[in-house]
Amino acid sequence: MDDGMHHGTMGDGEGGMDMQKNNTNNKMMMMMHMTFFWGDRAEILFSGWPGTSTGMYILALIFVFLLSVLVEWLSRLPLIKPGSNHVAAGFARTLMHTIRVGLAYLVMLAVMSFNGGVFLAAVAGHSIGFLVFGSQLVMRTETGALPDMGC
């Protein structure tokens, strides 16, 4: 039975996105992966990025890793000093929260590429970020308590 759709894959078949050609309007549609896959042929955050180069894929993994570390750092950044103006402190916390949430959503969208390497880079970045900035193993607070996560 022919439903008018022809299926194929883009790239070398390793993690390529499915393409469908609709005979009525001859447009190619890209179908996103809906399960985890391994390989360096993925689109992460932007159309065509990182492309087909293995070096660019590694750069994308490093970017996701660093973005995850940055989210953890911003979650524990001691921004407000005791005795600060509470209105200014409230606006500063709101701005920092907005930036942190925006970056966390970017990490989430990168993970939604369903690429196994991107997933591992994000989890590793959050883990290393927490180890360095939140676990007290590497950095201690003055009071000895865990820093406020600002949630």
Side-chain angles (χ1 to χ4, degrees), residues 70-141:
L70 181 61
V71 168
E72 292 297 324
W73 177 66
L74 291 175
S75 295
R76 288 153 185 86
L77 185 64
L79 187 64
I80 310 304
K81 304 288 184 218
S84 296
N85 178 331
H86 73 282
V87 174
F91 280 118
R93 282 188 141 182
T94 301
L95 176 65
M96 195 57 61
H97 175 77
T98 302
I99 292 169
R100 181 178 57 87
V101 168
L103 294 175
Y105 275 122
L106 280 176
V107 172
M108 178 205 59
L109 288 171
V111 169
M112 286 180 61
S113 69
F114 288 98
N115 182 274
V118 172
F119 174 75
L120 292 177
V123 170
H126 281 293
S127 298
I128 297 298
F130 182 82
L131 177 70
V132 172
F133 303 112
S135 72
Q136 292 189 358
L137 182 65
V138 177
M139 296 180 70
R140 291 208 173 264
T141 61

Side-chain angles (χ1 to χ4, degrees), residues 54-85:
T54 301
M56 287 300 291
Y57 174 72
I58 292 169
L59 181 64
L61 294 181
I62 292 169
F63 175 76
V64 170
F65 175 84
L66 293 176
L67 199 57
S68 300
V69 170
L70 181 61
V71 168
E72 292 297 324
W73 177 66
L74 291 175
S75 295
R76 288 153 185 86
L77 185 64
L79 187 64
I80 310 304
K81 304 288 184 218
S84 296
N85 178 331

